[in-house]
Amino acid sequence: PEDLRHLSKPSGGQVFAGMAGPMIVEGGLDAMPGIRDIPQRVLAIQNTQLGDDGRVVPQDEEAADSNTQLFVNGAINPEINIRPGQLQRWLIYNMNSDRFVKLGLEGQEFQLLATDGNTLEQIQPMDEMLVGPGSRSEVLVRGETPGSYKLEALPFTRFPGPGGSTSEETVATIVSGDEPVEEGRDPAGPLQEKEDLREVSVDREREIVYSEDGLADPPKIF
C-alpha cells in the first residue's frame, strides 16, 4: 500500500549496516584429494562507515568510499595466523551491495580455485584478484618466512568522478610464525573433469519466451 512504502528499506542499506553473512555449501572441492584436508579460513569482507558515536552511519548519509572502512569477520585489520610453509584454503566473500574489492597479497600470488561456487578447470595464479559485490572466491595461500604481510584492497575505480574510486587499504595482516610446516607441493592437475558435449546429439530442444507484460497470457514453454 502507498502509505506503507516509507516503512520499507532497500536491501543495500541493510547490507551496508552489516546484515549479511557467509553460507557454506560443500561441493566437489571439499571431497577432492589434495584439497579436502587443507585447513579452511573464511574471510567475510564488509564495507561500512562508523560515526563518532561508533554506530553505523545511515547509507543515505554515507560519505565517499574513501571515508568508509573494510571489516573482515567484523574486525578492522584483523591478524590472520599461518605457519611458515603451511597451506590454507581461504573462502573470501565480498558481502557488499556496491563496492568492488581488488585484493593483493604482499609477497605472493593467490592460487585461485573457484569463483561464485564454480570450480576452475585448473588452479590459476593471480597477482591481483577483483571480487565484485556479492561474489565469492576460493584461493590457496601458503605461509611465507616468519613475519607480517598485508592483505590489501588495492585502488579501484568503478566510475569516474566523486565517490567512484577507492584508495589502498589494509584488509588484514597475515602473521607467519610458530613452528614451520614441512613444505609440500601445491595441488596440481585438473580440478575437475568435464565431459565434452560439443559432438553429442541433442535429445530435445525447448524455446522459452520471456515477457514483461503482466497482463498478457503467461509465456509458453515449447
Side-chain angles (χ1 to χ4, degrees), residues 144-171:
E144 296 290 323
T145 55
S148 298
Y149 307 88
K150 294 180 180 179
L151 174 64
E152 296 179 300
L154 303 174
F156 180 75
T157 299
R158 51 182 180 161
F159 58 83
S165 299
T166 54
S167 55
E168 185 172 309
E169 182 178 349
T170 299
V171 178

PDB file of all heavy atoms in Angstrom, residues 144-171:
ATOM      1  N   GLU A 144      54.536 -17.689   4.354  1.00  0.00           N
ATOM      2  CA  GLU A 144      55.878 -17.291   3.952  1.00  0.00           C
ATOM      3  C   GLU A 144      56.833 -17.423   5.144  1.00  0.00           C
ATOM      4  O   GLU A 144      56.478 -17.934   6.196  1.00  0.00           O
ATOM      5  CB  GLU A 144      55.844 -15.852   3.442  1.00  0.00           C
ATOM      6  CG  GLU A 144      54.991 -15.666   2.179  1.00  0.00           C
ATOM      7  CD  GLU A 144      55.624 -16.301   0.951  1.00  0.00           C
ATOM      8  OE1 GLU A 144      56.864 -16.257   0.822  1.00  0.00           O
ATOM      9  OE2 GLU A 144      54.880 -16.852   0.129  1.00  0.00           O
ATOM     10  N   THR A 145      58.078 -16.938   4.966  1.00  0.00           N
ATOM     11  CA  THR A 145      59.036 -16.917   6.064  1.00  0.00           C
ATOM     12  C   THR A 145      58.455 -16.096   7.209  1.00  0.00           C
ATOM     13  O   THR A 145      57.599 -15.229   6.995  1.00  0.00           O
ATOM     14  CB  THR A 145      60.367 -16.313   5.592  1.00  0.00           C
ATOM     15  OG1 THR A 145      60.114 -15.014   5.019  1.00  0.00           O
ATOM     16  CG2 THR A 145      61.024 -17.196   4.551  1.00  0.00           C
ATOM     17  N   PRO A 146      58.873 -16.351   8.446  1.00  0.00           N
ATOM     18  CA  PRO A 146      58.281 -15.644   9.584  1.00  0.00           C
ATOM     19  C   PRO A 146      58.272 -14.131   9.400  1.00  0.00           C
ATOM     20  O   PRO A 146      59.251 -13.531   8.946  1.00  0.00           O
ATOM     21  CB  PRO A 146      59.168 -16.063  10.755  1.00  0.00           C
ATOM     22  CG  PRO A 146      59.696 -17.411  10.356  1.00  0.00           C
ATOM     23  CD  PRO A 146      59.892 -17.334   8.866  1.00  0.00           C
ATOM     24  N   GLY A 147      57.142 -13.519   9.743  1.00  0.00           N
ATOM     25  CA  GLY A 147      56.985 -12.077   9.599  1.00  0.00           C
ATOM     26  C   GLY A 147      55.527 -11.726   9.379  1.00  0.00           C
ATOM     27  O   GLY A 147      54.643 -12.570   9.484  1.00  0.00           O
ATOM     28  N   SER A 148      55.288 -10.454   9.070  1.00  0.00           N
ATOM     29  CA  SER A 148      53.941  -9.945   8.835  1.00  0.00           C
ATOM     30  C   SER A 148      53.806  -9.502   7.386  1.00  0.00           C
ATOM     31  O   SER A 148      54.734  -8.901   6.823  1.00  0.00           O
ATOM     32  CB  SER A 148      53.635  -8.766   9.768  1.00  0.00           C
ATOM     33  OG  SER A 148      53.673  -9.178  11.119  1.00  0.00           O
ATOM     34  N   TYR A 149      52.654  -9.787   6.798  1.00  0.00           N
ATOM     35  CA  TYR A 149      52.386  -9.459   5.405  1.00  0.00           C
ATOM     36  C   TYR A 149      50.968  -8.899   5.300  1.00  0.00           C
ATOM     37  O   TYR A 149      50.079  -9.282   6.055  1.00  0.00           O
ATOM     38  CB  TYR A 149      52.528 -10.704   4.522  1.00  0.00           C
ATOM     39  CG  TYR A 149      53.851 -11.418   4.697  1.00  0.00           C
ATOM     40  CD1 TYR A 149      54.013 -12.395   5.686  1.00  0.00           C
ATOM     41  CD2 TYR A 149      54.948 -11.096   3.908  1.00  0.00           C
ATOM     42  CE1 TYR A 149      55.222 -13.035   5.871  1.00  0.00           C
ATOM     43  CE2 TYR A 149      56.168 -11.742   4.079  1.00  0.00           C
ATOM     44  CZ  TYR A 149      56.300 -12.700   5.065  1.00  0.00           C
ATOM     45  OH  TYR A 149      57.508 -13.330   5.245  1.00  0.00           O
ATOM     46  N   LYS A 150      50.767  -8.011   4.334  1.00  0.00           N
ATOM     47  CA  LYS A 150      49.478  -7.349   4.207  1.00  0.00           C
ATOM     48  C   LYS A 150      48.588  -8.008   3.156  1.00  0.00           C
ATOM     49  O   LYS A 150      49.054  -8.354   2.074  1.00  0.00           O
ATOM     50  CB  LYS A 150      49.673  -5.879   3.817  1.00  0.00           C
ATOM     51  CG  LYS A 150      50.344  -5.024   4.871  1.00  0.00           C
ATOM     52  CD  LYS A 150      50.491  -3.590   4.366  1.00  0.00           C
ATOM     53  CE  LYS A 150      51.156  -2.705   5.396  1.00  0.00           C
ATOM     54  NZ  LYS A 150      51.323  -1.314   4.883  1.00  0.00           N
ATOM     55  N   LEU A 151      47.336  -8.170   3.510  1.00  0.00           N
ATOM     56  CA  LEU A 151      46.289  -8.431   2.523  1.00  0.00           C
ATOM     57  C   LEU A 151      45.644  -7.075   2.270  1.00  0.00           C
ATOM     58  O   LEU A 151      45.076  -6.474   3.189  1.00  0.00           O
ATOM     59  CB  LEU A 151      45.257  -9.421   3.057  1.00  0.00           C
ATOM     60  CG  LEU A 151      44.031  -9.667   2.167  1.00  0.00           C
ATOM     61  CD1 LEU A 151      44.427 -10.305   0.844  1.00  0.00           C
ATOM     62  CD2 LEU A 151      42.995 -10.523   2.890  1.00  0.00           C
ATOM     63  N   GLU A 152      45.752  -6.579   1.037  1.00  0.00           N
ATOM     64  CA  GLU A 152      45.362  -5.208   0.753  1.00  0.00           C
ATOM     65  C   GLU A 152      44.202  -5.135  -0.234  1.00  0.00           C
ATOM     66  O   GLU A 152      44.087  -5.971  -1.141  1.00  0.00           O
ATOM     67  CB  GLU A 152      46.545  -4.434   0.178  1.00  0.00           C
ATOM     68  CG  GLU A 152      47.707  -4.285   1.151  1.00  0.00           C
ATOM     69  CD  GLU A 152      48.868  -3.530   0.548  1.00  0.00           C
ATOM     70  OE1 GLU A 152      49.408  -4.003  -0.465  1.00  0.00           O
ATOM     71  OE2 GLU A 152      49.232  -2.461   1.081  1.00  0.00           O
ATOM     72  N   ALA A 153      43.375  -4.118  -0.033  1.00  0.00           N
ATOM     73  CA  ALA A 153      42.412  -3.707  -1.049  1.00  0.00           C
ATOM     74  C   ALA A 153      43.107  -2.629  -1.871  1.00  0.00           C
ATOM     75  O   ALA A 153      43.422  -1.555  -1.356  1.00  0.00           O
ATOM     76  CB  ALA A 153      41.140  -3.173  -0.402  1.00  0.00           C
ATOM     77  N   LEU A 154      43.370  -2.923  -3.120  1.00  0.00           N
ATOM     78  CA  LEU A 154      44.124  -2.020  -3.980  1.00  0.00           C
ATOM     79  C   LEU A 154      43.197  -0.957  -4.562  1.00  0.00           C
ATOM     80  O   LEU A 154      41.977  -1.141  -4.618  1.00  0.00           O
ATOM     81  CB  LEU A 154      44.795  -2.826  -5.096  1.00  0.00           C
ATOM     82  CG  LEU A 154      45.720  -3.950  -4.606  1.00  0.00           C
ATOM     83  CD1 LEU A 154      46.211  -4.780  -5.785  1.00  0.00           C
ATOM     84  CD2 LEU A 154      46.886  -3.392  -3.809  1.00  0.00           C
ATOM     85  N   PRO A 155      43.759   0.186  -4.990  1.00  0.00           N
ATOM     86  CA  PRO A 155      42.913   1.235  -5.587  1.00  0.00           C
ATOM     87  C   PRO A 155      42.097   0.690  -6.754  1.00  0.00           C
ATOM     88  O   PRO A 155      42.592  -0.081  -7.575  1.00  0.00           O
ATOM     89  CB  PRO A 155      43.933   2.271  -6.057  1.00  0.00           C
ATOM     90  CG  PRO A 155      45.129   2.058  -5.181  1.00  0.00           C
ATOM     91  CD  PRO A 155      45.179   0.581  -4.928  1.00  0.00           C
ATOM     92  N   PHE A 156      40.840   1.084  -6.807  1.00  0.00           N
ATOM     93  CA  PHE A 156      39.947   0.624  -7.882  1.00  0.00           C
ATOM     94  C   PHE A 156      38.962   1.729  -8.211  1.00  0.00           C
ATOM     95  O   PHE A 156      38.407   2.369  -7.313  1.00  0.00           O
ATOM     96  CB  PHE A 156      39.188  -0.636  -7.458  1.00  0.00           C
ATOM     97  CG  PHE A 156      38.253  -1.156  -8.502  1.00  0.00           C
ATOM     98  CD1 PHE A 156      38.742  -1.826  -9.610  1.00  0.00           C
ATOM     99  CD2 PHE A 156      36.880  -0.959  -8.396  1.00  0.00           C
ATOM    100  CE1 PHE A 156      37.885  -2.300 -10.584  1.00  0.00           C
ATOM    101  CE2 PHE A 156      36.017  -1.424  -9.368  1.00  0.00           C
ATOM    102  CZ  PHE A 156      36.519  -2.095 -10.466  1.00  0.00           C
ATOM    103  N   THR A 157      38.756   1.967  -9.509  1.00  0.00           N
ATOM    104  CA  THR A 157      37.814   2.977  -9.980  1.00  0.00           C
ATOM    105  C   THR A 157      36.669   2.280 -10.681  1.00  0.00           C
ATOM    106  O   THR A 157      36.864   1.623 -11.699  1.00  0.00           O
ATOM    107  CB  THR A 157      38.493   3.967 -10.938  1.00  0.00           C
ATOM    108  OG1 THR A 157      39.563   4.636 -10.251  1.00  0.00           O
ATOM    109  CG2 THR A 157      37.500   5.010 -11.430  1.00  0.00           C
ATOM    110  N   ARG A 158      35.478   2.397 -10.143  1.00  0.00           N
ATOM    111  CA  ARG A 158      34.305   1.772 -10.774  1.00  0.00           C
ATOM    112  C   ARG A 158      33.590   2.736 -11.699  1.00  0.00           C
ATOM    113  O   ARG A 158      32.881   2.327 -12.613  1.00  0.00           O
ATOM    114  CB  ARG A 158      33.348   1.227  -9.720  1.00  0.00           C
ATOM    115  CG  ARG A 158      32.972   2.193  -8.634  1.00  0.00           C
ATOM    116  CD  ARG A 158      32.063   1.603  -7.596  1.00  0.00           C
ATOM    117  NE  ARG A 158      31.764   2.612  -6.589  1.00  0.00           N
ATOM    118  CZ  ARG A 158      30.750   2.553  -5.761  1.00  0.00           C
ATOM    119  NH1 ARG A 158      29.924   1.529  -5.805  1.00  0.00           N
ATOM    120  NH2 ARG A 158      30.547   3.496  -4.881  1.00  0.00           N
ATOM    121  N   PHE A 159      33.732   4.057 -11.459  1.00  0.00           N
ATOM    122  CA  PHE A 159      33.208   5.062 -12.389  1.00  0.00           C
ATOM    123  C   PHE A 159      33.944   6.371 -12.124  1.00  0.00           C
ATOM    124  O   PHE A 159      34.420   6.614 -10.999  1.00  0.00           O
ATOM    125  CB  PHE A 159      31.688   5.243 -12.236  1.00  0.00           C
ATOM    126  CG  PHE A 159      31.232   5.651 -10.867  1.00  0.00           C
ATOM    127  CD1 PHE A 159      31.250   6.987 -10.466  1.00  0.00           C
ATOM    128  CD2 PHE A 159      30.774   4.698  -9.961  1.00  0.00           C
ATOM    129  CE1 PHE A 159      30.825   7.358  -9.210  1.00  0.00           C
ATOM    130  CE2 PHE A 159      30.349   5.065  -8.695  1.00  0.00           C
ATOM    131  CZ  PHE A 159      30.377   6.404  -8.317  1.00  0.00           C
ATOM    132  N   PRO A 160      34.112   7.233 -13.139  1.00  0.00           N
ATOM    133  CA  PRO A 160      34.824   8.497 -12.947  1.00  0.00           C
ATOM    134  C   PRO A 160      34.017   9.468 -12.096  1.00  0.00           C
ATOM    135  O   PRO A 160      32.791   9.398 -12.040  1.00  0.00           O
ATOM    136  CB  PRO A 160      34.996   9.019 -14.378  1.00  0.00           C
ATOM    137  CG  PRO A 160      33.886   8.383 -15.150  1.00  0.00           C
ATOM    138  CD  PRO A 160      33.661   7.033 -14.530  1.00  0.00           C
ATOM    139  N   GLY A 161      34.732  10.361 -11.419  1.00  0.00           N
ATOM    140  CA  GLY A 161      34.054  11.385 -10.642  1.00  0.00           C
ATOM    141  C   GLY A 161      34.065  11.099  -9.163  1.00  0.00           C
ATOM    142  O   GLY A 161      34.562  10.054  -8.702  1.00  0.00           O
ATOM    143  N   PRO A 162      33.497  12.002  -8.368  1.00  0.00           N
ATOM    144  CA  PRO A 162      33.488  11.859  -6.909  1.00  0.00           C
ATOM    145  C   PRO A 162      32.802  10.570  -6.456  1.00  0.00           C
ATOM    146  O   PRO A 162      31.738  10.205  -6.960  1.00  0.00           O
ATOM    147  CB  PRO A 162      32.695  13.094  -6.445  1.00  0.00           C
ATOM    148  CG  PRO A 162      32.821  14.074  -7.564  1.00  0.00           C
ATOM    149  CD  PRO A 162      32.864  13.251  -8.814  1.00  0.00           C
ATOM    150  N   GLY A 163      33.428   9.892  -5.510  1.00  0.00           N
ATOM    151  CA  GLY A 163      32.840   8.680  -4.952  1.00  0.00           C
ATOM    152  C   GLY A 163      33.010   7.440  -5.804  1.00  0.00           C
ATOM    153  O   GLY A 163      32.572   6.358  -5.410  1.00  0.00           O
ATOM    154  N   GLY A 164      33.669   7.582  -6.969  1.00  0.00           N
ATOM    155  CA  GLY A 164      33.794   6.432  -7.859  1.00  0.00           C
ATOM    156  C   GLY A 164      35.059   5.631  -7.677  1.00  0.00           C
ATOM    157  O   GLY A 164      35.230   4.587  -8.314  1.00  0.00           O
ATOM    158  N   SER A 165      35.961   6.095  -6.818  1.00  0.00           N
ATOM    159  CA  SER A 165      37.246   5.419  -6.636  1.00  0.00           C
ATOM    160  C   SER A 165      37.471   5.087  -5.171  1.00  0.00           C
ATOM    161  O   SER A 165      37.011   5.800  -4.277  1.00  0.00           O
ATOM    162  CB  SER A 165      38.394   6.300  -7.143  1.00  0.00           C
ATOM    163  OG  SER A 165      38.257   6.573  -8.521  1.00  0.00           O
ATOM    164  N   THR A 166      38.187   3.996  -4.942  1.00  0.00           N
ATOM    165  CA  THR A 166      38.599   3.631  -3.588  1.00  0.00           C
ATOM    166  C   THR A 166      40.118   3.653  -3.532  1.00  0.00           C
ATOM    167  O   THR A 166      40.799   3.312  -4.507  1.00  0.00           O
ATOM    168  CB  THR A 166      38.085   2.237  -3.203  1.00  0.00           C
ATOM    169  OG1 THR A 166      38.488   1.283  -4.200  1.00  0.00           O
ATOM    170  CG2 THR A 166      36.572   2.217  -3.103  1.00  0.00           C
ATOM    171  N   SER A 167      40.646   4.046  -2.397  1.00  0.00           N
ATOM    172  CA  SER A 167      42.088   4.102  -2.223  1.00  0.00           C
ATOM    173  C   SER A 167      42.591   2.801  -1.603  1.00  0.00           C
ATOM    174  O   SER A 167      41.813   1.936  -1.208  1.00  0.00           O
ATOM    175  CB  SER A 167      42.471   5.300  -1.340  1.00  0.00           C
ATOM    176  OG  SER A 167      41.782   5.239  -0.107  1.00  0.00           O
ATOM    177  N   GLU A 168      43.910   2.684  -1.515  1.00  0.00           N
ATOM    178  CA  GLU A 168      44.509   1.472  -0.954  1.00  0.00           C
ATOM    179  C   GLU A 168      44.193   1.370   0.535  1.00  0.00           C
ATOM    180  O   GLU A 168      44.222   2.360   1.259  1.00  0.00           O
ATOM    181  CB  GLU A 168      46.018   1.508  -1.189  1.00  0.00           C
ATOM    182  CG  GLU A 168      46.739   0.246  -0.770  1.00  0.00           C
ATOM    183  CD  GLU A 168      48.186   0.264  -1.195  1.00  0.00           C
ATOM    184  OE1 GLU A 168      48.454   0.521  -2.396  1.00  0.00           O
ATOM    185  OE2 GLU A 168      49.062   0.033  -0.339  1.00  0.00           O
ATOM    186  N   GLU A 169      43.891   0.158   0.971  1.00  0.00           N
ATOM    187  CA  GLU A 169      43.519  -0.060   2.364  1.00  0.00           C
ATOM    188  C   GLU A 169      43.966  -1.454   2.794  1.00  0.00           C
ATOM    189  O   GLU A 169      43.823  -2.419   2.041  1.00  0.00           O
ATOM    190  CB  GLU A 169      42.000   0.070   2.514  1.00  0.00           C
ATOM    191  CG  GLU A 169      41.480  -0.096   3.929  1.00  0.00           C
ATOM    192  CD  GLU A 169      39.970   0.088   4.002  1.00  0.00           C
ATOM    193  OE1 GLU A 169      39.359   0.535   3.016  1.00  0.00           O
ATOM    194  OE2 GLU A 169      39.397  -0.216   5.069  1.00  0.00           O
ATOM    195  N   THR A 170      44.531  -1.549   3.985  1.00  0.00           N
ATOM    196  CA  THR A 170      44.910  -2.852   4.527  1.00  0.00           C
ATOM    197  C   THR A 170      43.664  -3.565   5.027  1.00  0.00           C
ATOM    198  O   THR A 170      42.952  -3.050   5.896  1.00  0.00           O
ATOM    199  CB  THR A 170      45.930  -2.704   5.665  1.00  0.00           C
ATOM    200  OG1 THR A 170      47.114  -2.066   5.167  1.00  0.00           O
ATOM    201  CG2 THR A 170      46.312  -4.070   6.226  1.00  0.00           C
ATOM    202  N   VAL A 171      43.398  -4.731   4.471  1.00  0.00           N
ATOM    203  CA  VAL A 171      42.211  -5.501   4.848  1.00  0.00           C
ATOM    204  C   VAL A 171      42.507  -6.384   6.060  1.00  0.00           C
ATOM    205  O   VAL A 171      41.690  -6.503   6.976  1.00  0.00           O
ATOM    206  CB  VAL A 171      41.734  -6.355   3.652  1.00  0.00           C
ATOM    207  CG1 VAL A 171      40.539  -7.207   4.044  1.00  0.00           C
ATOM    208  CG2 VAL A 171      41.399  -5.467   2.474  1.00  0.00           C
TER     209      VAL A 171
END
